[in-house]
Amino acid sequence: MAKGEGKVIAQNKKAGFDYAIEETIEAGIVLLGTEIKSARNGKVQIKDAFVRIRNGEAWISNMHISPYEQGNQFNHEPLRSRKLLLHKKQINELVGKSKVEGAAIIPLKMYLKDGYAKVLLGVGKGKKKYDKREDLKKKDAKRAIDRALKERSR
């Protein structure tokens, strides 16, 4: 299966609008029992999540996984930091790319692949307001062209 394929649990649609994604990396994620059960039910939100590198390890913060409904006193904390599973070489590569001014490591989507929870990380720079407006103009122009071609072919 290719990178980024599998049953998508959560997707950060705003990431493509706010960041110019240059590279993607697939990472495993360490989850507790109630977290993976809740994730399989699709109760994950990665809109505000980001990745930090601490002590040679990658951690994802601000990722909200709702408490499991059937969970009891052993339920998890929804916004805790979770460890990402990456090779040391990949972490060093991420550190080098994140040192660049304006660069960020953000989760693009979370999915299940072969029974394991995976996160697709994007390394990119934040877009300025004028870049976002330009992208919207291009998108509108493409939509108008497609509409015109569809009308013409009828």
Side-chain angles (χ1 to χ4, degrees), residues 58-147:
W59 294 83
I60 188 165
S61 301
N62 262 14
M63 183 170 87
H64 187 276
I65 299 179
S66 298
Y68 187 56
E69 292 94 27
Q70 283 81 36
N72 51 16
Q73 68 206 29
F74 302 109
N75 229 334
H76 63 277
E77 186 182 326
L79 284 174
R80 74 177 187 92
S81 292
R82 294 163 180 93
K83 188 176 179 180
L84 294 175
L85 302 172
L86 292 164
H87 294 282
K88 192 170 209 155
K89 186 177 179 182
Q90 291 175 314
I91 291 173
N92 290 338
E93 198 175 299
L94 284 176
V95 168
K97 290 181 179 172
S98 66
K99 296 272 188 212
V100 178
E101 185 80 22
I105 307 166
I106 48 170
L108 301 176
K109 68 169 114 171
M110 183 175 176
Y111 52 93
L112 293 173
K113 182 176 175 183
D114 300 328
Y116 295 104
K118 303 280 185 178
V119 178
L120 187 66
L121 303 175
V123 180
K125 288 187 176 185
K127 287 184 183 177
K128 303 282 186 214
K129 202 169 198 173
Y130 56 84
D131 290 333
K132 294 177 188 179
R133 274 192 238 120
E134 192 175 304
D135 284 349
L136 284 174
K137 286 179 188 175
K138 285 180 184 175
K139 191 175 177 182
D140 288 341
K142 185 180 182 330
R143 193 176 298 133
I145 290 169
D146 289 344
R147 195 178 303 126

